[in-house]
Amino acid sequence: MQYLNSNNFPSTSQEEEKQLAESLNEILTDDYQGSFFKLFGSYKKILSDNNRKAEWEDINNKLTTLLKCGKSVPIDGPMIGVSVSIRDFDYFEKTAQLFGHNRSAVANIEWMASLWNNTFASTGIWMGKTFEPVNKDIAAQKCNNNPLVMSLYDPKTTRIGRNFFREPLAPDCLQLAGIPVLTKLWRLKDRPLSVDTQGFDSVLLEKNLELEKRIPYIKTGGYFLAEPGSSVAPEMNGKAVYQLNYRWPGLEPVFPMTRLIDELVQVDEGIYLGQLIMATRHYSLGSKTFSLFGEDVSANLGEEYNPDPNAKTGLLAKLQHLLSHTHDTADYGYQNNGFFLMIDPLFAEQAYANDAFPQLRPAPGEIGYQELGYDKKPPTPSADTIDTEKWIYGWRRDETLSKKFTTLCLESSPYADDGDVRELLQEGESVLQMLQRIQGEINDQTKYDDHLKHFEKLNRLFRSGIAPSVKDGLFQGNGKGYNTRYNGLADRQWYGVNEPLVGFDYYHGATLNLHWGFSDNFRPEIDASIEPNLLFPTSIAALLKEGIQEPAILNQAWQNIGRFIFPWAGKSFEQISGRKLSMLLDESDDLRERYPARTGELHDHPASWPHYDLVLKNEQHYWAEEGPFMAHLKSGAWDNGMSNTDQEFWSNEANQRWIFGNNIQDARILAADGFFRMLDMNYHTPEQALLDLAESGPSPFVRQGYSFLGVADRESILPMNNGPDKKKRVFQFHYRYPMIGGAAPIGTCLDELVEIAEGLYLGQLIYATKLFTPFHSSVNSAEYKYQLFGYFLLLDNDWEYHRQAIKLDTWK
């Protein structure tokens, strides 16, 4: 290799040099496949995946090896930038090293990387840097005439630089704020389009501006001085690097750039590997301007950076120096905070290739799209790109999909006046597009008037849908009846006993419209005028025309904020054993004796206090009557005394009516992974086989939690779903039984589900509004005043591809 060599690093011993050479050879043998663009692309893919966090330390170690072995060379002109890795500060690094670890457990949480991966890693916002000529006087002014910097000044190698920033394509709620916030905080400027553009301290050259046309950026700023130097990172042993220093006060850095030094080496033709280095001590938080004796005076918050205090001039500067206790040998506590790449724009096509960094590729309307000829090339499909044409319109030409997407699964509604809901479906639209249209109508109607009368179309659809069933212990819908079916994981344990995973299905999730159900408890016109068993939406519509109006705050919060940040991705179902079912439905008065480990978990998770409170109330015989299942639990727990007759009962129940389920979450949850583990006792990482299964689908999930019991063939608990002579049969999700556990407010939830098209399920989000009435299965459901809080969807893979294409409740 022309640029990579272990001799480029000043090793302190032969053993260190030998280990470095072996590490480099291992990378070049195992990872390098003829292209460093592909190698770094594969590294970034791992480091951008919060689900592969266990691999991050190894990849960061490899990047450290490559940086140590890279060659120090000066850089000139614009460069495409790739953010490869971001690392947390490690304030306990030295302590960790005493115990033989490179990093402490706190730093290994890597919350900054997790947050970055959930926001800008897949789209790009930082797009690179430029290195431009700077005359000696300006360089002196920027570095406060620092003797060391000025002694190294060379017009051929000293450069002043700035960063490039791009507005993400199709930004979500958080990404949309990126450029406006950075523009204000970092005083970004519009990209210069000619050498005559004013306001830049560098020398703008025509050749550089021409090369910049290969980089799609709109704003620029974040200035630095660059020149050859020695690494400031302790582990680099003073290695020769090309150093970018943001810290000089003359550059007017904004925190956290007041802490930042970048270092670069060349690893291949046109590719430079850099590391971000941050000071953990003796740094400024920025400057504050105030008026003193009629004059504006700027003062630093914190310590002004100047490694040579003798260069300070003026009374105020000397006074600050005396108070700050800094000196020219100050230990700034520099640490590596990640890695990045600089790529020569002449290699733009290799950089933007699918096996490298396609997320940085210029898009239509951006500078670089026409300059690189993408407007004349057919679009290059990506492995994870949804075929938009097929899933928005092309399904109409596919006989199987067309039938599936336009056929409603219906039964007669308990309410005769609901009529034929097929009239809701317009010509040429799918059932999902119909729901998207209805969602928009409800959003408009409830913006200032959050009443259930506006949900009438969804209410009718729900009452006409068909309840899924359980057959041989498996969740069964209409037709094929499952989205995916997986059997395996023979060593899976439940409460100390092996219970293999059987019949695993999962369905993607979407939210339609939400309603503030608590308000329905405070409508005197309803209570005074309608008997509970006549509470139909048509009656509500007639009575509430002149009713109280209130905005749909919950729905608006979801549409504008919630769907972008809340990581719910659907539900998973699996077969449940009679043993497990009997425990989770148990309401005995000796639960702590029967299941000490499980009740101990309830006690140790404060968020599960509503469930643990039910354990205590059962002990106190709080309820006069027994629940419907208690007759089959009196002989004892399954593992301790239960009769064969009762065990047979529970096995039959599990086989004919019940499934075990979890809510599934996508990668956005990983930024708060530790918090959710503390919050929800059932929260966990699925086995790798399930992660692989999810990864092969349109919307992968990475965590499971908020467990529930699903049960088939139940009467709806909402009066609005039932007619005077006929009750609506539904599939229910139970979260409320004490032994299920889970975080509040999930302990007040009891959802219902019907299928409205093959593989497409419409669900009602239902919560008890009598929050302080403890749950027991012997109590009439009316006592809890269950109310509708909105509608959600569960979708199989076909419907999910369609949903992502038409962007129904999507966050990307």
Side-chain angles (χ1 to χ4, degrees):
M1 291 294 178
Q2 181 180 353
Y3 301 101
L4 285 170
N5 193 309
S6 60
N7 292 329
N8 289 332
F9 183 73
S11 299
T12 57
S13 67
Q14 290 184 345
E15 180 62 27
E16 183 182 18
E17 183 177 352
K18 178 183 177 182
Q19 289 180 353
L20 182 61
E22 290 175 350
S23 297
L24 176 61
N25 184 64
E26 184 178 337
I27 293 171
L28 298 178
T29 302
D30 298 341
D31 298 354
Y32 179 71
Q33 303 296 326
S35 168
F36 276 102
F37 292 102
K38 293 182 180 179
L39 179 140
F40 287 119
S42 66
Y43 285 176
K44 179 171 174 59
K45 185 176 182 180
I46 294 172
L47 293 166
S48 298
D49 187 348
N50 288 347
N51 197 45
R52 303 179 71 175
K53 191 176 290 187
E55 303 173 59
W56 289 0
E57 184 174 3
D58 180 54
I59 300 299
N60 279 307
N61 289 338
K62 291 180 178 180
L63 291 169
T64 300
T65 295
L66 292 171
L67 189 89
K68 287 181 175 180
C69 296
K71 182 179 180 180
S72 174
V73 296
I75 301 178
D76 185 52
M79 294 283 158
I80 300 167
V82 183
S83 175
V84 178
S85 166
I86 295 177
R87 311 201 76 186
D88 287 357
F89 292 107
D90 192 352
Y91 292 103
F92 305 98
E93 181 180 32
K94 292 183 178 179
T95 303
Q97 290 172 351
L98 293 175
F99 292 91
H101 302 291
N102 292 329
R103 286 168 67 78
S104 67
V106 174
N108 278 328
I109 295 174
E110 301 290 10
W111 73 266
M112 287 196 299
S114 300
L115 181 62
W116 174 261
N117 290 343
N118 286 337
T119 52
F120 294 104
S122 62
T123 61
I125 184 171
W126 175 69
M127 290 300 298
K129 305 175 188 287
T130 190
F131 301 79
E132 298 173 319
V134 57
N135 67 51
K136 192 171 185 177
D137 290 340
I138 292 179
Q141 181 267 321
K142 296 300 181 185
C143 71
N144 203 14
N145 207 28
N146 183 275
L148 179 60
V149 174
M150 298 317 299
S151 69
L152 296 174
Y153 175 84
D154 184 336
K156 295 180 181 179
T157 59
T158 301
R159 293 290 180 263
I160 192 170
R162 50 189 166 81
N163 288 268
F164 302 149
F165 298 95
R166 164 205 216 172
E167 189 165 275
L169 304 175
D172 61 28
C173 179
L174 294 175
Q175 293 169 336
L176 197 61
I179 287 294
V181 170
L182 287 180
T183 299
K184 185 175 182 179
L185 290 179
W186 291 359
R187 300 184 291 272
L188 302 184
K189 299 177 181 177
D190 293 336
R191 70 180 290 166
L193 299 177
S194 77
V195 294
D196 298 323
T197 305
Q198 300 299 306
F200 293 90
D201 293 318
S202 60
V203 179
L204 299 177
L205 301 177
E206 190 66 49
K207 65 174 185 177
N208 287 344
L209 295 182
E210 188 63 28
L211 284 171
E212 284 185 19
K213 291 180 180 179
R214 294 167 171 252
I215 307 174
Y217 80 94
I218 61 171
K219 294 287 186 180
T220 184
Y223 296 91
F224 56 85
L225 279 179
E227 59 187 0
S230 300
S231 176
V232 298
E235 66 273 14
M236 287 293 146
N237 297 345
K239 172 184 166 54
V241 294
Y242 192 62
Q243 195 171 81
L244 287 56
N245 195 326
Y246 293 80
R247 303 192 68 192
W248 299 111
L251 295 168
E252 298 182 355
V254 178
F255 185 85
M257 287 185 287
T258 54
R259 309 169 70 170
L260 177 62
I261 291 178
D262 290 340
E263 296 179 346
L264 285 158
V265 294
Q266 189 166 10
V267 295
D268 196 21
E269 190 67 30
I271 305 180
Y272 305 82
L273 176 62
Q275 65 173 339
L276 299 100
I277 300 175
M278 291 275 193
T280 60
R281 291 188 288 272
H282 306 305
Y283 55 83
S284 169
L285 296 173
S287 62
K288 178 72 174 177
T289 301
F290 58 93
S291 180
L292 182 64
F293 305 119
E295 294 186 10
D296 288 340
V297 178
S298 292
N300 271 297
L301 304 176
E303 298 182 19
E304 181 179 285
Y305 172 75
N306 195 333
D308 181 8
N310 296 320
K312 287 178 177 272
T313 59
L315 179 62
L316 181 61
K318 291 181 179 179
L319 180 61
Q320 287 177 329
H321 167 58
L322 290 174
L323 294 175
S324 67
H325 304 291
T326 58
H327 48 87
D328 57 349
T329 58
D331 180 5
Y332 291 107
Y334 285 118
Q335 289 188 4
N336 173 285
N337 283 90
F339 296 91
F340 63 96
L341 297 175
M342 296 274 86
I343 300 173
D344 191 319
L346 295 176
F347 295 83
E349 292 193 55
Q350 293 99 311
Y352 299 145
N354 276 351
D355 54 9
F357 314 105
Q359 72 277 7
L360 304 181
R361 185 185 303 148
E366 288 188 309
I367 291 178
Y369 186 74
Q370 290 184 339
E371 286 78 1
L372 291 169
Y374 287 113
D375 58 327
K376 297 181 176 62
K377 300 175 184 177
T380 305
S382 174
D384 58 355
T385 298
I386 291 177
D387 186 343
T388 304
E389 195 282 331
K390 172 183 177 181
W391 293 107
I392 294 181
Y393 309 109
W395 57 267
R396 298 170 184 165
R397 298 187 295 272
D398 184 311
E399 184 177 351
T400 302
L401 281 179
S402 180
K403 181 179 180 181
K404 178 176 181 176
F405 282 5
T406 59
T407 303
L408 287 162
C409 298
L410 303 174
E411 65 180 15
S412 59
S413 168
Y415 188 52
D417 289 352
D418 276 343
D420 189 350
V421 296
R422 286 177 294 186
E423 67 184 18
L424 299 174
L425 187 64
Q426 296 179 359
E427 185 175 354
E429 69 179 0
S430 68
V431 175
L432 202 60
Q433 289 168 324
M434 173 193 75
L435 291 170
Q436 188 177 40
R437 174 171 50 80
I438 293 173
Q439 180 193 53
E441 294 172 0
I442 296 174
N443 286 342
D444 291 339
Q445 293 166 344
T446 61
K447 188 176 295 184
Y448 306 107
D449 182 24
D450 187 16
H451 276 289
L452 278 177
K453 63 184 179 183
H454 302 304
F455 287 72
E456 179 65 4
K457 291 179 180 178
L458 294 181
N459 298 337
R460 289 175 60 200
L461 272 169
F462 186 88
R463 289 192 295 265
S464 300
I466 302 175
S469 61
V470 172
K471 183 178 180 180
D472 298 328
L474 304 175
F475 179 80
Q476 193 75 30
N478 188 62
K480 185 173 66 172
Y482 57 90
N483 179 40
T484 185
R485 189 66 50 87
Y486 178 86
N487 298 310
L489 306 179
D491 296 330
R492 211 184 216 201
Q493 297 282 308
W494 169 258
Y495 209 70
V497 175
N498 191 46
E499 293 200 359
L501 177 66
V502 177
F504 179 84
D505 295 350
Y506 79 97
Y507 291 81
H508 310 277
T511 301
L512 284 176
N513 301 87
L514 298 179
H515 166 67
W516 187 241
F518 286 106
S519 63
D520 294 332
N521 290 343
F522 306 102
R523 300 194 190 281
E525 65 269 35
I526 297 178
D527 294 335
S529 307
I530 310 176
E531 293 296 325
N533 65 339
L534 296 178
L535 191 55
F536 303 127
T538 50
S539 303
I540 295 174
L543 284 166
L544 300 186
K545 286 182 179 179
E546 305 299 329
I548 301 170
Q549 291 190 341
E550 54 200 14
I553 297 175
L554 186 63
N555 190 60
Q556 291 179 41
W558 174 261
Q559 298 292 339
N560 294 301
I561 300 174
R563 67 189 178 100
F564 296 107
I565 61 176
F566 192 66
W568 180 67
K571 297 180 187 289
S572 65
F573 307 135
E574 59 192 71
Q575 191 178 73
I576 189 170
S577 68
R579 173 179 176 270
K580 186 173 182 178
L581 179 64
S582 67
M583 176 193 292
L584 295 182
L585 290 179
D586 201 337
E587 295 175 303
S588 302
D589 58 7
D590 58 347
L591 292 175
R592 288 197 287 179
E593 295 178 18
R594 291 186 176 208
Y595 316 108
R598 185 70 178 176
T599 53
E601 285 185 85
L602 289 171
H603 176 271
D604 294 340
H605 280 76
S608 293
W609 70 263
H611 291 87
Y612 188 71
D613 184 61
L614 299 181
V615 173
L616 300 180
K617 280 184 166 54
N618 277 300
E619 287 184 8
Q620 299 160 5
H621 301 99
Y622 182 88
W623 295 277
E625 298 184 19
E626 293 182 343
F629 298 108
M630 281 308 300
H632 302 283
L633 290 162
K634 289 184 176 180
S635 59
W638 184 287
D639 294 336
N640 188 20
M642 182 178 286
S643 68
N644 292 335
T645 301
D646 287 336
Q647 287 188 350
E648 183 178 358
F649 167 83
W650 287 111
S651 295
N652 288 334
E653 276 290 303
N655 193 53
Q656 297 172 14
R657 294 183 180 84
W658 298 84
I659 53 95
F660 182 75
N662 286 285
N663 286 274
I664 55 179
Q665 296 91 19
D666 61 40
R668 288 173 293 170
I669 203 169
L670 297 178
D673 200 39
F675 173 74
F676 275 91
R677 290 187 188 279
M678 177 181 66
L679 184 70
D680 178 13
M681 61 181 286
N682 298 310
Y683 181 83
H684 65 282
T685 302
E687 292 88 347
Q688 189 60 48
L690 302 185
L691 293 175
D692 293 341
L693 186 68
E695 189 67 34
S696 66
S699 300
F701 64 87
V702 299
R703 294 291 186 269
Q704 293 174 288
Y706 289 117
S707 298
F708 59 84
L709 290 173
V711 59
D713 195 30
R714 286 296 190 264
E715 290 182 358
S716 174
I717 59 171
L718 287 184
M720 60 177 282
N721 290 334
N722 299 317
D725 304 314
K726 181 181 179 182
K727 306 295 184 183
K728 178 63 185 174
R729 311 302 291 190
V730 296
F731 191 94
Q732 290 180 339
F733 300 131
H734 284 262
Y735 297 86
R736 308 204 67 186
Y737 283 89
M739 299 302 290
I740 297 177
I746 204 68
T748 63
C749 186
L750 202 166
D751 296 340
E752 298 185 340
L753 192 76
V754 295
E755 189 172 19
I756 59 172
E758 183 184 336
L760 178 63
Y761 302 85
L762 181 63
Q764 290 183 329
L765 185 63
I766 301 170
Y767 282 94
T769 57
K770 290 292 186 180
L771 299 179
F772 301 105
T773 303
F775 173 79
H776 195 266
S777 60
S778 67
V779 179
N780 189 304
S781 61
E783 296 295 319
Y784 299 109
K785 284 196 175 292
Y786 288 109
Q787 299 288 2
L788 177 68
F789 276 73
Y791 281 92
F792 64 91
L793 296 173
L794 296 181
L795 314 91
D796 70 13
N797 283 348
D798 286 343
W799 288 108
E800 178 64 9
Y801 280 119
H802 187 32
R803 178 178 83 93
Q804 292 292 336
I806 67 175
K807 297 190 179 302
L808 169 61
D809 192 49
T810 55
W811 59 275
K812 291 184 179 180

